[in-house]
Amino acid sequence: MTARLRFDPVALLIVPAVAYLAFAYGIPLFVLLARAFVVDGVPSVSSFVRFFSDPFDWLVIGNTLRIAVAVTLVSLAIGYPTAVALARAKGAAQAAILVAIILPLSVGVVVKAFAWQIVLRRDGVVSQTLVALHLWDTPQRLLFTETGLVIGAVNVFVPFMILPIYSVLKLVDPRLDEAAATLGATPLYRFFRVALPLSLPGIVTGIAFVFSMAVSMYVVPNLLIGDRFQTLATLTGRSFLFMRNEQLGSTTAVVLLALAVATVVGSAALPRRFGGAS
């Protein structure tokens, strides 16, 4: 018997979103791809061959991936315990933690980056504190270093690690941990065999969010480390704004887009796998 498809009018609610994305995202993306894959009016991949033949461009890709991985790992190290505390908090304490996490999102990235410029310079709070604790002999600047860039970027992106993990943890029955403790499981065993596997979908989602944003961040590297350290995003902006080389800018943008899409597509499969395991 042939199954008959029934039209659901509710599906029409998605039309405005699809139309907007087609206009605001699809058209610019098509123009970008056309500029990258068309050279002198002829379809060609020569710009990509030239890009991947230059050792400097591989250095830029390495910078991009290294910073994105560092930002993601530090965000996870800070975000996971915070998400656990948020999930276990009750009442006013939980509301206060949520406000502390969400409120900084209302502050612009440019403002945060300029604030970190003040904090990370040689006479800033971080340097003076470390000298006072005798961890440094003399004041040193973290501004215009990779460490400073990671610190500033984590400040911007760590809420996007905390919230997905929290959304998963709040659905986990706390009696599971109590049951494991009743059976004699140690805290470390309960974490690795109960809590961590159940929270993996949130961890994977948080990693996908933070990594895809960190790999394409533009303002934070420009303000915290400067032009001498190039990533794919800053090289794309430099190509369009200063070098007036749209071919190079489109090529680096496509490479950057490929990295972001690979991250999102890869992470889309992992939560289902781990979710099934949980």
Side-chain angles (χ1 to χ4, degrees):
M1 183 174 64
T2 303
R4 298 183 60 184
L5 295 177
R6 296 183 57 186
F7 175 73
D8 186 356
V10 177
L12 293 175
L13 295 176
I14 200 174
V15 171
V18 172
Y20 174 78
L21 287 176
F23 175 76
Y25 183 73
I27 294 176
L29 180 62
F30 175 79
V31 172
L32 183 71
L33 293 174
R35 288 183 183 276
F37 287 98
V38 177
V39 180
D40 297 330
V42 179
S44 172
V45 293
S46 60
S47 59
F48 291 93
V49 174
R50 188 163 52 251
F51 178 82
F52 288 112
S53 301
D54 190 338
F56 173 76
D57 293 328
W58 282 105
L59 177 65
V60 171
I61 294 175
N63 290 342
T64 306
L65 295 177
R66 185 172 66 255
I67 291 299
V69 169
V71 170
T72 304
L73 292 179
V74 176
S75 296
L76 178 60
I78 296 173
Y80 191 88
T82 307
V84 173
L86 178 60
R88 295 186 179 182
K90 304 293 183 185
Q94 188 180 57
I97 297 174
L98 268 175
V99 170
I101 294 170
I102 295 174
L103 190 61
L105 295 176
S106 63
V107 180
V109 176
V110 175
V111 175
K112 289 180 182 177
F114 275 120
W116 277 107
Q117 276 194 354
I118 299 172
V119 172
L120 296 175
R121 64 191 187 190
R122 193 183 301 275
D123 59 346
V125 175
V126 175
S127 179
Q128 296 299 323
T129 302
L130 292 176
V131 171
L133 295 174
H134 302 289
L135 296 176
W136 281 355
D137 295 330
T138 58
Q140 299 178 32
R141 64 171 172 81
L142 288 170
L143 190 62
F144 304 126
T145 66
E146 291 189 27
T147 303
L149 173 58
V150 171
I151 292 173
V154 167
N155 171 253
V156 175
F157 298 132
V158 73
F160 299 97
M161 181 67 76
I162 296 172
L163 295 177
I165 299 175
Y166 162 68
S167 66
V168 172
L169 288 177
K170 73 177 182 179
L171 300 177
V172 176
D173 191 340
R175 291 175 298 180
L176 290 174
D177 186 72
E178 297 171 4
T182 303
L183 295 174
T186 63
L188 196 62
Y189 185 89
R190 298 202 302 271
F191 173 74
F192 283 107
R193 299 302 299 269
V194 179
L196 186 61
L198 292 175
S199 60
L200 274 177
I203 293 174
V204 173
T205 304
I207 289 174
F209 279 164
V210 174
F211 185 86
S212 60
M213 289 188 291
V215 82
S216 59
M217 61 180 172
Y218 177 75
V219 174
V220 178
N222 266 321
L223 295 181
L224 294 186
I225 200 167
D227 291 339
R228 287 180 296 179
F229 185 88
Q230 292 291 329
T231 63
L232 282 171
T234 58
L235 181 59
T236 301
R238 187 178 178 83
S239 301
F240 278 111
L241 298 176
F242 300 106
M243 300 167 63
R244 302 295 181 185
N245 189 340
E246 294 187 358
Q247 192 73 55
L248 175 60
S250 301
T251 303
T252 55
V254 170
V255 175
L256 183 60
L257 178 65
L259 285 175
V261 170
T263 303
V264 173
V265 171
S267 63
L270 290 177
R272 289 196 296 270
R273 175 183 176 185
F274 291 121
S278 65

